[in-house]
């Protein structure tokens, strides 16, 4: 599998993970480690900036792991830019997952505020990965203001519904000049493999690993599925057909006996 | 992952493979070996019974591989029983994939002839794995006459359409007392993972590996996907929901700053 | 719309209906009348053969309505043949919906017993409409023994899931020489329209009308949907495409102003 | 069926139609008239403003028909506002379908420019119906600036793919305080019925009628399907279930005979 170039880094793993909803930080650490994820998103508000012994970060010290602070909880571009600057200081990284979702029920992203914030954050030197609707025009506009990737959603966050926006994801992947990371909605390894087979550059999985009764096994399952999907994409899938073709040609061999 | 008990054998791998349609026997051998498949189906008519140096079998000598002769090409129960006996003699195994498909276009199986042949073959001492429509009642009847497994189809052979019969597969898996092997239609690793996540005991993949421009990489991709799907099934998937739940709880943390 | 030839009758309406599960016989009568259905299935066991004033039949006296007794409740071919003969006597019709479903949970039909009973009933002079899995080979075999139609299921009876077996229905419609009536699973007018657009000759709807809070309005809705789907089939649908085409050509007209 | 209140008008028909792609204006006129559509969109650039005998408008004189000029062909908010003002003068209506799609391949709408133009056009006294991605947050923002409806897409214009964005449409319908009109992608009467069954207030159909070999029959088919879907929505659909329930209760009646 080819490594993924994203921003100023190169990743062996195309599985990005999150840190929310785990039953314990210990389980989170183990699940993320077996997943071999190299980019892990952390909500800024979960980092205790006055506490040297801050709990969650302590569990993300593996040398493979790069932190990706996110702005989850903000509702406007202005709040996002402020949160991003705090995150940069606190976590000493200019990478940022930009999330602006005013809607408390489905946590769907705001396209207007997201574009506005992305433009400003790029100018401020951030490596911006915006979480957005599967909107191909918006994704092009984000790319044009300089985001390092686009992160269209497959379905609402935490819904585990899989790629409900598949046709739009297909167009985004076809048109994008920056990596496409499918984020939100991926609820099973098959969904992750499906996204990779379509040509997504990576996927971000959080809920499906974190709330599984066995997050460590699930982390490993997602690792394998992402590799399987990427491998199949690189090896090229056979096309679907309406009619069957025999797996092996039919002959009249019994008649000959 | 728990090993699979099927007939009188135990399998570590839940990926069964086929031997049709490969560009060369050498590619077939390599793809099957990297797939780590332990049960490999061979059309009886492709085995040259008068030729000691028979080509295809020579490429299936790996100690991990068990042969599963199939009756592809027969149209009736009578022909199937005859073919099965030839296969047992030629390949020295009483395992049999029972395929009776009179229809030359879609190669869909005949339920009546299949049940009749299965009943007779079980009496003759065969370990019978019948290829059938995703018909829950037929699967129960096959189980009752003593087949070692049932092999319902996901879609027409060679169509790569995935699990078109998903709702019926779900019922078959729920009701079956013998292993359920999803056969036919699996065209991508995500389809294989999906079948395993639903609780299928194994999948059989042939066309999708054989006709890929890179069958060796594809064999490996399917191996990983089957493992991912099984692991997720054993670890238990989170349920789908309509509304999103936040990956991490929303707080008014910015207001506090 | 072309009328439907089926058995020895011609139908203007391609919506067949059922009589189970209505809150009252009066509601049933009204819903069926507004649906304009001309073929209405009745479970033999619901007909009180010793009672001249039998309730359910009294409500099906409309001159447009033809009765289609069904064998729901039988488990074997033998029981079905017996029930069919009782029905012929009681209802004075040789039309028969053949239903053999031993499984009490999903009411899925038994392919073996159904074919056996169909063959015998045809010989006994019945117009046989068998309820079956969406199994293209079984449908051909039923046609070969002389059934007047085939009635493949879209999904389990009463599930309202729509056309879960769509790919197999497509093949059945392509191959059948007798009318194809999609039965079971149709839970919304859009499902009925979808079946008709694919080329099904008719649909049978029961639960979705009967259990609606407003069965009369729902009966009318299904009538319209079946007509819409048939009309679109006869007028020919446009094909799906991956890329969009403009609804009207783009011009640089504003530049010219 | 309840009539639809939209802007300052009340509509009996919930099928909106378009005028592009018909083989002739005569066919267009007939198809639209049998469809009973009361709101018909016309691309401003197709109206010859210097020609009293302008062809397309001559064919839309039916007293039932209200014109809905659209801005198809513009790429920015500024162009849209200019086009809208021309349309208002030329067609003597302040109703406007706002379409801004810079992308010439899929004609997908631009969320940023659309919101900006909508806000300005509302201030200028237009009744604005914006064509947008199925983006629930964007739809709320459009509603907040005063659009009379929102018109989320089901799939790319002209693709006939149906409701590819179904999960997002569901959320939009749940949250919207203004009518939701599903626009683009509806390729068959079953798709239109499906949208109405979900609770969409109306659908706009153009390509599927215009490019059918028989647009007049297709216009009628869509009329029926929209009515069927709306009726079912008002009468309330039964819910889907996993397991079947018998259409009529099973009894041991044969045993009693």
């Amino acid at each position: 599998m080819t490594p993924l170039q994203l921003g100023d880094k190169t990743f062996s793993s195309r599985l990005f993970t999150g840190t929310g909803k785990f039953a314990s930080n210990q389980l989170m650490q183990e699940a993320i480690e077996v997943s071999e994820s190299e980019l892990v998103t952390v909500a800024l508000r979960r980092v205790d900036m006055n506490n040297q012994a801050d709990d969650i970060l302590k569990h993300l010290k593996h040398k493979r792991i790069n932190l990706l602070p996110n702005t989850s909880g903000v509702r406007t571009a202005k709040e996002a830019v402020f949160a991003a600057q705090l995150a940069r200081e606190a976590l000493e990284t200019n990478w940022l997952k930009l999330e602006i979702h005013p809607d408390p029920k489905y946590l769907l992203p705001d396209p207007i505020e997201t574009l506005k914030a992305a433009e400003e954050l790029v100018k401020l030197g951030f490596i911006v990965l915006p979480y957005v609707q599967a909107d191909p025009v918006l994704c092009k506009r984000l790319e044009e203001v300089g985001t390092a990737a686009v992160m269209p959603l497959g379905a609402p966050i935490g819904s585990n519904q899989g790629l409900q926006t598949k046709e739009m994801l297909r167009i985004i992947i076809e048109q994008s000049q920056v990596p496409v990371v499918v984020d939100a909605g991926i609820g099973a390894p098959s969904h992750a493999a499906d996204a990779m087979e379509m040509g997504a550059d990576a996927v971000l999985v959080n809920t499906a690993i974190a709330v599984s009764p066995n997050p460590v096994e699930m982390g490993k399952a997602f690792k394998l599925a992402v590799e399987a999907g990427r491998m199949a994409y690189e090896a090229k899938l056979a096309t679907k057909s309406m009619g069957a073709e025999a797996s092996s040609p039919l002959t009249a061999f019994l008649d000959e006996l």
Side-chain angles (χ1 to χ4, degrees), chain A residues 12-61:
Chain A
S12 302
S13 162
R14 289 167 181 272
L15 172 60
F16 301 165
T17 51
T19 52
K21 295 189 187 174
F22 283 91
S24 74
N25 282 339
Q26 188 54 41
L27 267 176
M28 176 195 81
Q29 177 177 343
E30 285 174 47
I32 290 175
E33 290 189 6
V34 301
S35 79
E36 296 183 15
S37 178
E38 297 167 5
L39 193 65
V40 178
T41 187
V42 190
L44 174 58
R45 67 172 174 275
R46 298 186 60 219
V47 178
D48 184 343
M49 280 167 291
N50 303 314
N51 185 349
Q52 293 296 330
D54 176 76
D55 209 36
I56 191 164
L57 295 184
K58 238 177 35 190
H59 290 272
L60 299 168
K61 290 291 186 204

Side-chain angles (χ1 to χ4, degrees), chain A residues 126-215:
Chain A
F126 286 89
I127 307 285
V128 182
L129 293 84
Y131 165 60
V132 285
Q133 262 290 349
D135 177 334
V137 176
L138 180 62
C139 285
K140 283 313 273 185
R141 294 195 67 154
L142 286 161
E143 175 188 321
E144 283 159 17
V145 301
T147 63
V150 288
M151 302 185 77
L153 57 82
I157 292 180
S159 69
N160 293 320
Q161 293 179 4
L163 307 185
Q164 296 292 324
T165 58
K166 195 160 184 176
E167 180 54 20
M168 293 300 151
L169 292 175
R170 191 189 64 71
I171 297 173
I172 293 169
I173 290 167
E174 177 188 302
Q175 297 186 335
S176 189
Q177 305 290 321
V178 293
V180 176
V181 183
V182 177
D183 184 12
I186 292 178
S190 59
H191 303 161
D194 192 5
M196 299 307 294
E197 288 162 8
M198 290 174 69
D201 295 280
V203 293
L204 193 152
V205 180
N206 183 354
T207 302
I209 296 173
V211 308
S212 163
N214 193 337

Side-chain angles (χ1 to χ4, degrees), chain A residues 5 9 37 70 85 108 150 165 211 219-220 223 227 244:
Chain A
Q5 287 290 340
K9 293 199 167 80
S37 178
N70 71 54
Q85 287 167 318
L108 294 170
V150 288
T165 58
V211 308
K220 196 168 168 198
K223 169 192 137 60
E227 288 175 12

Side-chain angles (χ1 to χ4, degrees), chain A residues 72 99-109 131 153 156-158:
Chain A
S72 178
E99 288 187 55
I100 306 182
H101 33 62
D103 162 27
K105 180 162 181 194
Y106 294 104
L107 304 181
L108 294 170
Y131 165 60
L153 57 82
I157 292 180

